[in-house]
Amino acid sequence: MMIDIGAQRGVSVIPMYSKDGTAFFDKSKNKELKEKIKSELKAYNFEGKKEETLFLKIGNNKVLLIGINKAYSLEDLRRSYSVVYKMLKARKEKEATIEVPKEDEKEIKAMIEGLDLSDYKFDKYITKKEEKEVELHVFLDVSHKFARLLQETLLVNKNVKIVRDLVNDNSYSKTPQILTEIVSDFAKKNNLKAKVLDEKDIQKEKLNLLWAVGQGSQYPPRLIIAEYNGNPNSKEKIALIGKGINFDTGGVNLKQMMLDEMRMDMAGAAVVFGAFKTAVELKLKKNLILVIPAAENALSGRSYKPGDIFVSYSGISVEIGNTDAEGRLVLADAIGYVQKNYKPTAIIDVATLTGAVMVALGPSLIGMFGNNEQQKKVLFKAGEETFERVWELPIYDEHRDLNKGKFADIKNIGGKDGGSITAAAFLEKFIQEGVNWTHLDIAGAASNKKESYYIPEFGTGRVVRLLTEYLKQ
Ligand code: BES
Ligand code: ZN
Ligand code: ZN
């Protein structure tokens, strides 16, 4: 699909509001057509309820009415215009012009998201493609002053779709080495500094937790780092760290559930890459460090074992209670390494860390933890705005106590209760004093059981828009 700004062509898509069960619209635009629609409408019982649609042919005009409740939210707009996109596609329409309810930046952005984020299919491996698709060209009937907003929104969406593709793809199509190449290529094209620690470096530098998790795989681990200095005058430096497990078998503690979905365990890495890429392409005035600890949690004769103890990069010793709690291990070494060698003022880590976050918050919310109220507040607001919603969970001493090890400083599991919290408490132990830290657990948000409006089944691409919004603040 292409989206441009422009006037009447093809199907006229017109928002209708519902008031007391009667449909009405704003008459300031397209007066003549609307008079005709009004008289035509008498023959239908169209109420203009949320997401209700009606297709009409009036003379030579094709009209698609879309119902929107008068008190609509940004998310209502995303959903309604996702419905519009699907309807236009199903009818194989070539052109459509969209009238907006209001010429408002946020609303127009939400409408573009609803349309464009619905235009996604993971069909790389479908060998029999359906008949050649009809290209849809959509025109937004708005002032040209919104051209920049349109381009920026499409740019973010493109990166959301790249993240979806990565999450959806095979585990063997996003190994630590392949992720390395993706980040290195991007860095090279944009003249950014990048650094990659391979399996030899990882052992030499004593990133023992990352090595432990990755050692069972034929695809050796990597620590992937890239830097973007968008604001050289500022001392602020944010590290975006993403869990990059291309497949999580659980290791020797072999997973019992959802094994076939565990190629999505690198969604944190995909998301931080997507947000970093967006920030670079939008030239945001931020200093960022992208950090991806990449490994496969495989099951083999070389896998690490329950009961093993490893000394982390930071020097804290860790007892392995369960080899399936691997995410916190690779993150801990990444946190340790970036703090020592890059001195960030803030860290945001993103990880499909615990199944427990879905038990606590349901299938799609993001669990948030952290030590800085301001950072959490901005993220919460960005979540409301983008509908990539975050909800804070606490960490108290009673949770920290659950991670106590028998023979080491800390253990990588905290028992059956409060699993997302004990995982966060584990990470917290590796955060240096003075570093503003937020942890986002996206085990639920990263994937969808089934398609819902503009969010496809499986890889959702969620959190790219959230972090972009955060970084814009
Ligand atoms: N990658 C999983 C978490 C996960 C579960 C993500 C379901 C997406 C969907 C993580 O590595 C894991 O296995 N966590 C364990 C921790 C437990 C062993 C303490 C879990 O959630 O069960
Ligand atoms: Zn695991
Ligand atoms: Zn995992």
Side-chain angles (χ1 to χ4, degrees):
M1 175 180 47
M2 298 218 290
I3 307 183
D4 281 306
I5 291 174
Q8 285 312 313
R9 243 176 293 190
V11 182
S12 298
V13 181
I14 298 178
M16 298 279 292
Y17 307 100
S18 175
K19 191 174 69 177
D20 319 324
T22 49
F24 73 100
F25 39 52
D26 176 5
K27 287 217 192 83
S28 58
K29 262 184 185 168
N30 289 318
K31 264 201 187 120
E32 211 180 306
L33 179 61
K34 281 176 183 164
E35 282 309 326
K36 286 187 203 154
I37 295 172
K38 208 175 144 193
S39 61
E40 193 85 3
L41 261 185
K42 287 175 192 142
Y44 301 88
N45 57 26
F46 181 81
E47 295 174 13
K49 278 192 298 210
K50 193 155 116 180
E51 294 163 27
E52 194 183 353
T53 54
L54 181 65
F55 200 92
L56 294 172
K57 256 188 146 167
I58 303 176
N60 285 329
N61 295 305
K62 289 179 178 177
V63 174
L64 174 58
L65 301 177
I66 173 76
I68 297 176
N69 278 344
K70 192 68 185 147
Y72 55 82
S73 65
L74 294 178
E75 181 63 5
D76 287 336
L77 288 178
R78 287 185 200 101
R79 292 183 176 190
S80 292
Y81 286 86
S82 169
V83 170
V84 165
Y85 169 82
K86 286 174 192 176
M87 182 115 179
L88 293 170
K89 274 316 254 194
R91 296 185 51 90
K92 299 194 174 23
E93 297 293 345
K94 288 201 185 82
E95 288 184 321
T97 306
I98 295 199
E99 180 181 323
V100 303
K102 213 190 312 156
E103 293 226 344
D104 172 274
E105 283 237 356
K106 286 183 180 174
E107 292 190 14
I108 292 172
K109 184 175 166 196
M111 291 173 65
I112 297 165
E113 287 168 345
L115 290 163
D116 183 48
L117 290 174
S118 301
D119 182 26
Y120 175 83
K121 264 199 219 103
F122 184 66
D123 58 3
K124 192 171 162 183
Y125 299 104
I126 305 293
T127 54
K128 277 197 206 118
K129 294 252 161 54
E130 285 167 38
E131 57 191 283
K132 207 168 166 345
E133 278 204 29
V134 181
E135 178 86 43
L136 172 62
H137 199 156
V138 168
F139 298 89
L140 297 173
D141 193 1
V142 296
S143 148
H144 280 279
K145 73 173 189 222
F146 293 106
R148 194 194 152 108
L149 175 81
L150 171 63
Q151 288 325 311
E152 283 194 10
T153 308
L154 293 177
L155 185 152
V156 179
N157 292 353
K158 189 190 75 198
N159 289 330
V160 170
K161 294 176 196 181
I162 289 173
V163 170
R164 290 175 180 172
D165 279 343
L166 270 169
V167 171
N168 287 330
D169 214 337
N170 301 302
S171 63
Y172 61 78
S173 304
K174 52 199 184 193
T175 60
Q177 180 52 28
I178 295 174
L179 292 184
T180 298
E181 283 156 21
I182 292 172
V183 174
S184 303
D185 284 355
F186 178 73
K188 201 178 283 163
K189 280 203 190 92
N190 291 278
N191 291 315
L192 305 175
K193 259 205 240 164
K195 178 176 175 178
V196 179
L197 278 67
D198 67 13
E199 66 269 40
K200 287 197 198 97
D201 305 323
I202 287 170
Q203 292 170 81
K204 207 166 75 208
E205 293 278 346
K206 298 203 167 65
L207 289 141
N208 296 329
L209 299 179
L210 178 57
W211 174 245
V213 171
Q215 71 186 24
S217 172
Q218 63 168 316
Y219 306 113
R222 299 280 183 265
L223 184 71
I224 309 162
I225 300 169
E227 289 174 80
Y228 165 61
N229 295 312
N231 190 357
N233 296 325
S234 164
K235 284 216 165 67
E236 194 193 38
K237 209 155 65 158
I238 308 172
L240 300 173
I241 309 184
K243 170 178 172 182
I245 302 292
N246 63 300
F247 196 84
D248 181 9
T249 65
V252 172
N253 293 100
L254 185 64
K255 265 192 188 302
Q256 305 288 310
M257 275 159 63
M258 298 169 84
L259 251 181
D260 58 328
E261 295 182 13
M262 281 306 141
R263 67 183 184 285
M264 55 82 106
D265 215 17
M266 41 58 75
V271 158
V272 292
F273 173 64
F276 180 83
K277 182 169 183 288
T278 304
V280 172
E281 289 168 351
L282 291 179
K283 299 190 174 65
L284 297 187
K285 290 193 168 27
K286 289 280 174 189
N287 303 319
L288 303 176
I289 314 159
L290 171 70
V291 186
I292 299 177
E296 181 172 70
N297 190 17
L299 175 56
S300 79
R302 293 195 335 218
S303 299
Y304 73 135
K305 315 291 187 308
D308 285 349
I309 293 171
F310 300 96
V311 179
S312 66
Y313 181 82
S314 311
I316 299 168
S317 64
V318 181
E319 187 176 321
I320 306 304
N322 189 316
T323 58
D324 198 8
E326 84 296 341
R328 66 199 76 183
L329 300 175
V330 303
L331 288 170
D333 266 356
I335 289 168
Y337 190 84
V338 74
Q339 284 179 148
K340 171 130 189 270
N341 299 286
Y342 291 83
K343 305 257 178 288
T345 55
I347 289 178
I348 298 176
D349 79 77
V350 185
T352 48
L353 204 61
T354 65
V357 80
M358 290 179 268
V359 178
L361 299 177
S364 60
L365 294 203
I366 300 156
M368 175 168 69
F369 304 82
N371 61 12
N372 184 276
E373 295 312 313
Q374 182 59 17
Q375 199 164 302
K376 284 186 288 193
K377 214 163 113 186
V378 178
L379 276 163
F380 177 81
K381 258 200 75 197
E384 293 288 296
E385 185 122 350
T386 56
F387 210 72
E388 298 187 338
R389 293 164 303 170
V390 301
W391 197 259
E392 188 183 357
L393 293 167
I395 309 173
Y396 290 117
D397 280 342
E398 63 196 89
H399 304 115
R400 297 181 181 101
D401 289 346
L402 294 169
N403 288 331
K404 287 224 166 95
K406 253 192 255 165
F407 303 110
D409 301 337
I410 193 170
K411 198 169 59 183
N412 79 332
I413 50 167
K416 73 172 176 33
D417 298 330
S420 302
I421 302 181
T422 50
F426 182 93
L427 297 178
E428 183 198 40
K429 179 110 174 150
F430 293 83
I431 300 294
Q432 278 171 8
E433 204 160 312
V435 175
N436 298 329
W437 164 66
T438 309
H439 158 58
L440 300 175
D441 192 334
I442 63 162
S447 73
N448 241 11
K449 282 261 169 296
K450 62 178 201 330
E451 178 182 320
S452 162
Y453 297 100
Y454 59 94
I455 313 270
E457 183 173 337
F458 211 60
T460 62
R462 279 199 192 105
V463 188
V464 172
R465 291 193 300 115
L466 171 75
L467 288 180
T468 303
E469 198 59 41
Y470 172 82
L471 293 173
K472 277 184 166 178
Q473 304 296 311

